[in-house]
């Protein structure tokens, strides 16, 4: 194999808004091997853009999820997002077999059946948010008033946060994800507030167990109480902005393609189409490994771009088209391999209920600004909208 | 066609259950369990799809 010095590109690319992903990805997919890129902090990482290659990277045991390995891509910080502290129980950053102890303890809580049982509670939450929006007038910011609170309220119910505390919980998680509206200090303070609250919740459930996730995990005993706080923070953070952004972007897409309103297949297609977690699955090689003919040395960072993979025309016909009738289930919007999203079945139900109720109860819903005027999160790890002004 | 499912590899993503609920289920631990090890001809396509979607390679289809 001859290896000429590869051409280095700057990364992340600016997302042009809709249509996402950045048009530059198509050019990357057409190149041989992988694409060497330079992060704003100067680090060099390999970009992986083809569907088949992303799946291969995410299932290769020589490739690690642990940010403590030297060379792990620091995409978050380069975008101005503070680095997530390595708190015990943050198992998305652990490799097998350490990772598996946490995952195995949690999967009974997220089975298809268990999530179905949460339907009535999710429907109630969605209805309450819509009641509040309708009571407040004939316009709203669908991000702040609907897309952000719904997943936060669903997760706090799942964790067993008492109803009286859910507003506190929601306000702190909102600060945590607001890139523009909050400063680093405010985000830091919100994260500390939440961690403190969660530790207290764990202590309360230790004393007074009830029929909820925290009590069951404590009873099972495979996760220590001090690790449990990290696990709960992960559930909260992993499941909040991702779901919120996907709901909001999906509403825009449905308003642009109204023939798909009311069709539940739109859920899977919005996941593929928007691929909000494009920069979430970060990796580092811990041994030399060859991917798509490219030698990646131990200690080199790898960024599998799920949005690029989900728009690969070798795996999806006319990928730039929003077409819920396609069979899109092999998309990698939730990642692939042992870290594939634990909350995916919850997300599917949540999004289905959110879209159905929103358009049923507000059939005249429309954008309050021209679509070209929407403000996208170019600067976030998770793709989304800063705000979504709507009226009815 | 015969299927095997390896609970040691399963990460409980539930892709198999969503795809072919008449063949796959999740047990109390959230791990894959087979309702039918020998699915009929009518199920073959969905079973292959489920095996292909499983993120951890826990589902194997044996063509014998
Ligand atoms: C549209 C919404 C969502 C998207 C696009 C999404 C995407 C992802 C992706 C790409 C990963 C893999 C990360 C990696 O490979 O390193 C992941 C992992 C994870 N997600 Fe989600 N997620 C969503 C919602 C949720 C929700 C609602 C929850 C929980 C309540 C959740 C909990 C988790 C957890 C715990 C992990 C780590 C799993 C592990 O390491 O085994 N996610 N998610
Ligand atoms: S799809 Fe694979 S990992 Fe997921 S539940 Fe089924 S067997 Fe387990």
């Amino acid at each position: 194999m001859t290896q000429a010095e590869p051409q280095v590109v700057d990364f992340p690319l600016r997302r042009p808004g809709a249509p996402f992903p950045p048009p530059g990805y198509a050019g990357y997919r057409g190149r041989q091997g992988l694409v060497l890129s330079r992060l704003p902090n100067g680090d060099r990482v390999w970009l992986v853009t083809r569907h088949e290659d992303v799946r291969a990277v995410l299932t290769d045991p020589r490739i690690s999820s642990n940010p403590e390995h030297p060379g792990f891509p620091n995409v978050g910080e380069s975008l101005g997002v503070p680095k997530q502290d390595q708190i015990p129980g943050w198992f998305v950053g652990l490799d097998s077999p350490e990772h598996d102890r946490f995952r195995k303890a949690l999967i009974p809580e997220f089975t298809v059946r268990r999530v179905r049982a949460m339907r009535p509670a999710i429907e109630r939450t969605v209805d309450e948010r819509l009641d509040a929006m309708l009571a407040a007038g004939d316009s709203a910011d669908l991000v702040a008033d609907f897309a952000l609170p719904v997943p936060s309220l669903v997760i706090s119910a799942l964790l067993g946060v008492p109803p009286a505390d859910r507003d506190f919980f929601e306000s702190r998680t909102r600060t945590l994800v607001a890139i523009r509206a909050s400063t680093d200090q405010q985000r830091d303070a919100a994260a500390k507030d939440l961690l403190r609250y969660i530790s207290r919740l764990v202590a309360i459930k230790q004393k007074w167990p009830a029929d909820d996730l925290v009590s069951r995990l404590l009873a099972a005993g495979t996760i220590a109480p001090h690790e449990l706080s990290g696990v709960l923070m992960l559930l909260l953070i992993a499941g909040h902005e991702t779901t919120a952004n996907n709901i909001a972007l999906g509403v825009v897409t449905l308003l642009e393609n109204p023939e798909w309103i009311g069709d539940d297949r739109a859920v899977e297609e919005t996941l593929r189409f928007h691929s909000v977690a494009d920069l979430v699955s970060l990796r580092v090689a811990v041994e030399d490994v060859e991917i798509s003919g490219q030698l990646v040395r131990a200690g080199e960072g790898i960024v599998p771009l799920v949005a690029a993979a989900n728009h690969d025309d070798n795996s999806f016909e006319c990928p730039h088209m929003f077409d819920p009738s396609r069979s899109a289930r092999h998309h990698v919007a939730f990642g692939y391999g042992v870290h594939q999203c634990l909350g995916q079945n919850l997300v599917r139900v949540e999004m289905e209920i959110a879209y159905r109720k929103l358009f049923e109860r507000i059939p005249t819903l429309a954008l309050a600004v021209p679509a070209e005027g929407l403000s996208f999160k170019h600067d976030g790890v998770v793709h989304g909208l800063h705000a979504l002004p709507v009226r009815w | 066609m015969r299927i095997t499912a390896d609970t040691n590899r399963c990460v409980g993503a539930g892709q198999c259950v969503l795809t072919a609920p008449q063949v796959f289920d999740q047990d109390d631990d959230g791990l894959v369990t087979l309702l039918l090890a020998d699915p009929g001809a009518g199920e073959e396509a969905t079973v292959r799809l489920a095996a292909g979607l499983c993120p951890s390679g826990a589902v194997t289809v044996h063509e014998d």
Side-chain angles (χ1 to χ4, degrees):
Chain A
M1 189 167 48
T2 55
Q3 296 230 340
E5 171 65 16
Q7 189 195 341
V8 183
V9 301
D10 285 316
F11 193 79
L13 297 184
R14 202 180 146 76
R15 303 168 180 133
F20 179 72
Y25 285 1
Y28 294 173
R29 271 193 308 268
R31 292 195 193 186
Q32 270 193 343
L34 306 181
V35 176
L36 188 59
S37 73
R38 189 187 309 107
L39 299 179
N41 66 5
D43 288 356
R44 289 185 173 206
V45 295
W46 294 104
L47 304 181
V48 188
T49 54
R50 286 181 289 270
H51 184 253
E52 183 192 350
D53 294 343
V54 166
R55 277 187 167 202
V57 164
L58 293 178
T59 47
D60 194 314
R62 296 163 298 179
I63 297 177
S64 168
S65 288
N66 194 329
E68 289 184 356
H69 284 298
F72 191 87
N74 198 345
V75 175
E77 206 163 275
S78 68
L79 289 173
V81 180
K83 186 166 170 265
Q84 188 60 54
D85 286 338
Q86 279 297 293
I87 43 181
W90 195 264
F91 63 93
V92 70
L94 297 175
D95 297 319
S96 295
E98 291 79 19
H99 156 272
D100 307 352
R101 168 168 64 96
F102 294 96
R103 175 98 186 189
K104 288 244 146 87
L106 281 160
I107 50 182
E109 303 292 336
F110 289 90
T111 59
V112 174
R113 195 176 298 122
R114 187 62 74 82
V115 168
R116 280 201 189 120
M118 288 159 62
R119 247 171 208 281
I122 299 174
E123 288 179 343
R124 218 161 31 241
T125 302
V126 169
D127 271 328
E128 281 164 13
R129 293 314 306 176
L130 290 173
D131 290 342
M133 253 170 61
L134 287 165
D138 59 2
S139 66
D141 171 5
L142 211 64
V143 169
D145 298 336
F146 185 71
L148 276 173
V150 166
S152 167
L153 294 166
V154 168
I155 297 169
S156 51
L158 176 83
L159 299 190
V161 173
D165 293 346
R166 288 185 195 161
D167 284 339
F168 159 85
F169 211 74
E170 208 270 309
S171 76
R172 296 308 187 278
T173 54
R174 182 187 298 253
T175 308
L176 211 56
V177 301
I179 296 171
R180 273 198 195 157
S182 24
T183 63
D184 280 359
Q185 279 119 320
Q186 284 170 325
R187 272 200 296 274
D188 235 37
K192 287 209 179 90
D193 275 358
L194 278 171
L195 199 54
R196 206 174 308 123
Y197 180 86
I198 283 174
S199 310
R200 206 175 316 134
L201 186 71
V202 171
I204 290 172
K205 302 288 176 189
Q206 272 179 297
K207 256 203 173 132
W208 298 285
D211 183 21
D212 55 39
L213 177 146
V214 177
S215 306
R216 281 190 292 272
L217 288 176
L218 283 165
T222 48
I223 300 179
H226 77 282
E227 296 170 326
L228 197 48
S229 304
V231 168
L232 302 182
M233 270 307 263
L234 174 60
L235 293 181
L236 173 66
I237 290 177
H240 185 217
E241 203 195 353
T242 43
T243 312
N245 293 4
N246 215 100
I247 289 176
L249 289 168
V251 168
V252 177
T253 308
L254 285 170
L255 287 172
E256 283 170 348
N257 301 271
E259 67 276 22
W260 293 110
I261 291 176
D263 190 324
D264 290 342
R265 288 176 297 176
V267 168
E268 208 65 40
E269 179 68 344
T270 62
L271 287 162
R272 178 198 74 84
F273 191 71
H274 291 293
S275 302
V276 298
D278 191 31
L279 298 178
V280 166
S281 293
L282 306 174
R283 298 293 189 267
V284 60
V286 286
E287 289 174 40
D288 290 359
V289 45
E290 199 179 295
I291 306 160
S292 207
Q294 173 63 54
L295 174 68
V296 175
R297 293 198 181 279
E300 291 181 345
I302 307 174
V303 181
L305 296 167
V306 301
N310 285 340
H311 288 255
D312 181 343
D313 52 14
N314 277 320
S315 297
F316 302 93
E317 210 172 303
C318 300
H320 53 287
M321 299 281 290
F322 177 76
D323 177 9
S325 73
R326 74 168 83 235
S327 155
R329 282 277 309 284
H330 56 303
H331 69 68
V332 285
F334 291 124
Y336 199 62
V338 298
H339 292 282
Q340 192 184 57
C341 186
L342 179 70
Q344 57 179 291
N345 296 311
L346 178 60
V347 174
R348 289 190 172 102
V349 169
E350 234 178 290
M351 286 177 50
E352 180 210 308
I353 294 173
Y355 293 150
R356 186 158 30 79
K357 291 221 174 258
L358 180 67
F359 289 110
E360 261 173 29
R361 294 195 53 192
I362 318 184
T364 57
L365 189 81
L367 293 186
V369 296
E372 307 78 63
L374 292 172
S375 157
F376 289 88
K377 292 189 168 177
H378 301 293
D379 34 7
V381 168
V382 184
H383 184 52
L385 286 161
H386 288 289
L388 178 54
V390 292
R391 57 180 167 73
W392 53 87
Chain B
M1 177 205 253
R2 193 166 52 81
I3 337 169
T4 50
D6 181 351
T7 48
N8 285 323
R9 301 191 73 136
C10 174
V11 295
Q15 300 275 18
C16 53
V17 188
L18 279 184
T19 312
Q22 62 290 16
V23 179
F24 300 97
D25 199 357
Q26 285 169 295
D27 65 13
D28 288 342
D29 293 330
L31 298 174
V32 59
T33 159
L34 290 177
L35 299 174
L36 300 169
D38 259 314
E43 323 271 22
E44 287 196 3
T46 48
V47 166
R48 277 204 191 89
L49 178 63
L53 290 175
C54 172
S56 64
V59 175
T60 314
V61 173
H62 307 268
E63 308 289 348
D64 46 35

